[in-house]
Amino acid sequence: MATVDQLAHAVLFPSLGRATVPRWISEPVAAGLGGFVLFGREAVSADQLRALTAQLRERAPGIHLAVDEEGGDVSRLEATGVISTPGNLALGRIDDLAVTRDCAVQLGLALRDLGVDWDFAPAVDVAVNPLTPNGVRCFGSDRKRVAEHAVAWVEGLQSTGVSACAKHFPGHGLSGTDAHLGTPNLELSRHELVDHYLDPFRAVVAAGVDSIMVSHPQVPAIDEWPASISRPIITGLLRDELGYDGVVITDALEMKGVARMADLATAAVRALQAGADALCLGSWSFGDDVRTCVEAITAAVAAGDLDQDALERSAERIRRIGAGPVTVSGAADVTTGPRLARRRSRSTDGRSCAARRSWSYAWSRASRRPRGAATVMSKGCWPSEVRRSNGSPCRSRPTTATA
């Protein structure tokens, strides 16, 4: 049986903070750290990322390595030159479930090749509020269609053996607040939540999604605490109401949405008490933060405030990440993004530059790019020949990332 110290480490997912293996990880990895979340600064090129994950797995073969790879504006792979695919808003506008599934498959194949076994995607929020800061990360505003695309994305990604993570439970789409900067407020009754607002999550649960990320919105009708540290929301809604028994991971605990209401140590313990299995600490959380959380968790167990058996169950769930059946293998099709960009460009001649920016597609000009490079569209317009609806040229240009 694992010790409390080992279990406390097993539920933690800090960042590395650099593109190479830092010295500080030796002790927590040896103690059974759950894994790391790799952010943009840890993914510089394909060769670098592949070498980094190999070195981490050499130290701990069972460690989990996660990224936020949604395609579009939220991508770790695009900057490495490996692959670039449409984000959720673009996929929702294309509205072809086979395309959504294929994009997720290609991302999964690329991630698996790079040594990543957990993808914090897709975002299954429904953009019911046009001012939601997550709008470009949503499949759309139609709850039924969002659910269908979410299922296609999950099935596609997990067919490659990479675990998906539906987020941001219970859903950011109603709020206009960015959880990085403040605590979103969802003014919904419990009946409204259960009856329709949670439908996309209900759909991915039925589809067998390996994990769900709980973010930091408050739901005053349910609890005064943010969802990530709320037992009525994590256990009451997600576990009991939706019947979910997979891995529940928090959104980054360094985010202002929860940090303004609980410091890291308090949030870590409260999240586990609430029913979370894994704690994403955040992009600026390293060795000292791991020690802070381990001390808080072990103290809570010693005081009887946290159940050691619950930690055992969480560690067991986490071990299942990346262990699903692989039904699709091979190399990723890096032409997926450019091909969809060309397809969409031919069918959107009348759209404005702002609408075109929302697609965040890959755009590869094969005749101009060097071998191994991917020319990508990131928050820019389409190529220079595209014009605004008033006829003036779009001045933005693609940026090129070379592996």
Side-chain angles (χ1 to χ4, degrees), residues 5-6 9 24-34 36 59-60 63:
D5 182 77
Q6 289 171 326
H9 280 87
W24 68 262
I25 74 165
S26 297
E27 184 177 335
V29 166
L33 189 73
F36 295 97
R59 291 174 177 242
I63 204 166

Side-chain angles (χ1 to χ4, degrees), residues 25-82:
I25 74 165
S26 297
E27 184 177 335
V29 166
L33 189 73
F36 295 97
V37 183
L38 307 179
F39 293 90
R41 61 178 174 269
E42 285 99 12
V44 177
S45 72
D47 289 343
Q48 168 270 326
L49 183 54
R50 193 177 289 109
L52 176 63
T53 59
Q55 291 165 16
L56 291 170
R57 294 194 185 285
E58 185 177 352
R59 291 174 177 242
I63 204 166
H64 298 295
L65 302 176
V67 297
D68 287 283
E69 180 54 64
E70 303 174 17
D73 281 1
V74 181
S75 175
R76 303 295 175 250
L77 298 187
E78 186 175 272
T80 69
V82 173

Side-chain angles (χ1 to χ4, degrees), residues 142-231:
D142 182 279
R143 191 167 283 104
K144 178 177 182 294
R145 205 59 182 153
V146 168
E148 292 168 345
H149 280 280
V151 168
W153 215 101
V154 167
E155 291 176 345
L157 183 77
Q158 293 189 171
S159 70
T160 68
V162 176
S163 287
C165 183
K167 60 188 184 184
H168 307 82
F169 190 87
H172 273 318
L174 182 63
S175 172
T177 301
D178 186 338
H180 293 87
L181 307 176
T183 306
N185 193 301
L186 301 183
E187 292 290 350
L188 290 168
S189 68
R190 190 181 193 282
H191 172 74
E192 289 171 319
L193 272 170
V194 174
D195 189 48
H196 57 80
Y197 194 78
L198 297 178
D199 282 355
F201 290 98
R202 185 177 285 107
V204 293
V205 167
V209 69
D210 286 345
S211 62
I212 289 178
M213 177 177 284
V214 181
S215 193
H216 312 307
Q218 281 179 297
V219 187
I222 306 293
D223 195 9
E224 63 180 331
W225 293 98
S228 55
I229 57 175
S230 167
R231 187 169 182 83

